[in-house]
Amino acid sequence: MKTLVCFGDSITSKEKSKDGSLRLTSRLRQELTEWVVMNAGIPAETTRAALVRLQDDVLRHHPDFVTILFGANDSSDHRLIPLKEYEKNLTYMVNKIGADKVILVSPAPVFEEQQKARTNDRMKQYAQTVKRVAKNEGASYVPLFETLIEKNIQKYVINDGLHFNKFGYEELSELVLRKIKTLTAISFQKKQLSP
């Protein structure tokens, strides 16, 4: 069986929301029935803190793929990891895991009227950094920020303006699933072509 580890902060953590709706890993598990899907999300975490648990929570499972979704806390007023450090931390993760196994997900926009610790101008800078790391290191990229900024973000978040509701998780899991299906099709074709 293939193993997928979802590595991130509170957007990744937990299987269900308070209203009982499914979150990222539980949605992916429903679709990837032949896979082991592991949740390695910790609320309030930054990339700086995540480096400490990379070995135990990700690498020791020898995953086939890893989604990495950090940025909501790295970009917040109260934690604020500088962009250069954020980029360095993500690059380190990609290199330790292996770029061919990594799916970098950009942080999502926020609903600014209800979210006072983050702005979309800043979130965009962090999202662009994720995209740059993916390009520079050869990892896969999921454009969560770009996808949701074009929509009415209020529809996708709970009343804190940051965390996803069921519509947000539908969108996120669909984007991740699409990327995994593309990657597994490519890897399947490579195996078919090799002698």
Side-chain angles (χ1 to χ4, degrees), residues 1-193:
M1 289 181 90
K2 287 187 180 292
T3 299
L4 168 68
V5 176
C6 296
F7 192 43
D9 53 30
S10 58
I11 305 291
T12 300
S13 73
K14 299 184 183 160
E15 298 297 310
K16 287 185 179 178
S17 296
K18 286 179 181 173
D19 67 0
S21 61
L22 300 181
R23 297 180 70 154
L24 176 62
T25 46
S26 44
R27 286 178 182 279
L28 293 175
R29 212 172 280 121
Q30 279 189 330
E31 297 295 323
L32 301 169
T33 54
E34 304 289 312
W35 291 54
V36 174
V37 179
M38 305 182 75
N39 190 322
I42 301 272
E45 197 166 63
T46 63
T47 53
R48 186 185 293 167
L51 292 180
V52 177
R53 63 186 184 91
L54 182 64
Q55 176 61 45
D56 284 348
D57 287 7
V58 179
L59 298 174
R60 78 179 177 94
H61 300 295
H62 306 288
D64 295 279
F65 291 106
V66 179
T67 62
I68 298 177
L69 173 50
F70 290 98
N73 299 304
D74 293 76
S75 65
S76 68
D77 292 343
H78 49 293
R79 291 199 176 79
L80 202 55
I81 302 297
L83 276 169
K84 281 192 186 299
E85 183 184 344
Y86 179 66
E87 183 170 359
K88 185 178 163 192
N89 292 343
L90 288 174
T91 301
Y92 178 85
M93 290 179 201
V94 171
N95 289 325
K96 286 302 259 187
I97 296 165
D100 58 324
K101 297 179 179 183
V102 173
I103 300 167
L104 284 169
V105 185
S106 67
V110 296
F111 182 54
E112 290 179 321
E113 287 176 35
Q114 293 175 315
Q115 177 49 231
K116 303 305 178 199
R118 298 156 181 90
T119 67
N120 283 328
D121 283 345
R122 193 187 292 160
M123 297 303 286
K124 183 178 182 181
Q125 292 180 311
Y126 282 76
Q128 287 170 337
T129 300
V130 175
K131 187 174 185 179
R132 184 167 58 251
V133 170
K135 185 179 179 189
N136 290 348
E137 303 305 317
S140 296
Y141 177 67
V142 170
L144 182 61
F145 183 89
E146 297 92 318
T147 302
L148 292 183
I149 200 71
E150 298 296 321
K151 302 182 180 190
N152 174 11
I153 187 61
Q154 189 177 7
K155 178 188 169 191
Y156 297 93
V157 293
I158 61 174
N159 59 10
D160 66 2
L162 170 70
H163 293 97
F164 287 153
N165 60 22
K166 68 177 183 177
F167 301 111
Y169 279 112
E170 279 172 12
E171 196 75 38
L172 172 59
S173 57
E174 185 55 40
L175 287 168
V176 170
L177 201 57
R178 208 176 303 152
K179 182 61 70 176
I180 289 170
K181 285 181 175 175
T182 301
L183 290 170
T184 51
I186 289 167
S187 95
F188 179 73
Q189 286 171 348
K190 281 182 184 169
K191 283 179 187 163
Q192 295 288 91
L193 295 172

